[in-house]
Amino acid sequence: MFTDTERQALYKVIRTRRDVRSFLPDPIPQDKLDRILEAAHHAPSVGFMQPWNFILITDQEVKERLSWAADKERRALAIHYEDDRKDLFLSLKVEALREAPLTICVTCDPTRGGDHVLGRNSIPETDILSTACAIQNMWLAACAEGLAMGWVSFYKKTDIRSILSIPPHIDPVALLSVGYTDHYPPMPLLEMVGWEKRRPLDSLIFRNKWGL
């Protein structure tokens, strides 16, 4: 179905993709943005419910309010760490919402498809899992387009709903900063600073039963 070159390109994008926190102000070409959103919309979804929506945010005032919400939560979370770990956490740049030319809020609508979505009745959280597939597609597409993306996960959902006028039943799953960068890290940021390391794959694989 695919040539060796095409397969190698896919795996290269998967290995290269990073969570980026530093952006240039350069605008994103519309054709690139269109392809990234198309990639997201072609993600798999349980029962083909396609629960996602995408709020494109370029207004600086709105981005400032989103950044405030993220920073508020970052400072609140700092109490869970002590001493050097806390200092390291507070030194990390966890968001660039003011800086990036575009932020995309990816949402999940648990009501889409009605009361009986094939496959979702047994496992309700498959709507969020389907939305996560769309986010992964966006991230890989952005990398392939030469753009950087950063997932901001420090916020209270009530704050984001208020700032973006999102209805109460809609779940704001992710804030994604998108743009060009002059610093694309060679490895995940948290690995670079010693916060965590990648676990050996062999230790995560079992055969037939858990632990075997």
Side-chain angles (χ1 to χ4, degrees):
M1 187 179 296
F2 301 103
T3 67
D4 287 344
T5 299
E6 289 169 334
R7 282 194 298 272
Q8 290 169 11
L10 171 63
Y11 291 124
K12 181 178 181 180
V13 171
I14 291 171
R15 289 191 300 269
T16 301
R17 179 216 56 82
R18 293 289 176 262
D19 194 3
V20 175
R21 295 289 186 259
S22 178
F23 295 90
L24 300 171
D26 308 53
I28 300 170
Q30 186 63 47
D31 60 334
K32 290 194 174 192
L33 177 58
D34 290 343
R35 287 193 292 270
I36 290 170
L37 293 173
E38 279 288 337
H41 192 46
H42 278 78
S45 62
V46 171
F48 203 42
M49 69 180 298
Q50 306 160 72
W52 44 71
N53 281 86
F54 310 98
I55 305 174
L56 308 182
I57 303 150
T58 56
D59 184 89
Q60 192 62 34
E61 181 180 349
V62 177
K63 289 193 289 183
E64 292 282 348
R65 294 179 66 195
L66 293 174
S67 182
W68 164 83
D71 187 62
K72 181 183 71 168
E73 186 64 11
R74 179 184 72 94
R75 287 183 278 110
L77 289 172
I79 65 171
H80 296 287
Y81 306 108
E82 296 181 353
D83 303 327
D84 292 345
R85 192 78 163 169
K86 181 176 182 179
D87 292 340
L88 177 56
F89 173 75
L90 289 173
S91 72
L92 295 173
K93 186 176 183 181
V94 297
E95 55 92 3
L97 293 165
R98 293 184 178 92
E99 187 179 299
L102 173 67
T103 290
I104 303 175
C105 180
V106 185
T107 65
C108 174
D109 183 353
T111 67
R112 189 161 298 161
D115 294 334
H116 301 286
V117 174
L118 180 65
R120 184 181 177 273
N121 289 13
S122 301
I123 307 177
E125 59 268 27
T126 50
D127 53 12
I128 295 286
L129 299 177
S130 298
T131 304
C133 289
I135 293 168
Q136 175 76 341
N137 274 17
M138 292 178 71
W139 221 331
L140 296 176
C143 181
E145 294 286 354
L147 290 163
M149 183 174 285
W151 186 335
V152 180
S153 57
F154 292 85
Y155 57 78
K156 293 292 188 188
K157 291 181 180 181
T158 51
D159 288 336
I160 303 307
R161 287 191 181 99
S162 176
I163 293 168
L164 299 179
S165 300
I166 297 172
H169 72 284
I170 301 293
D171 196 350
V173 177
L175 294 175
L176 303 173
S177 299
V178 189
Y180 291 102
T181 185
D182 56 4
H183 180 64
Y184 208 95
M187 63 177 66
L189 173 62
L190 294 181
E191 186 177 7
M192 289 177 62
V193 302
W195 185 271
E196 187 56 274
K197 60 183 179 181
R198 192 179 300 280
R199 291 168 172 78
L201 177 58
D202 288 347
S203 69
L204 306 175
I205 299 174
F206 303 138
R207 307 287 180 185
N208 298 314
K209 291 184 179 181
W210 180 270
L212 298 180

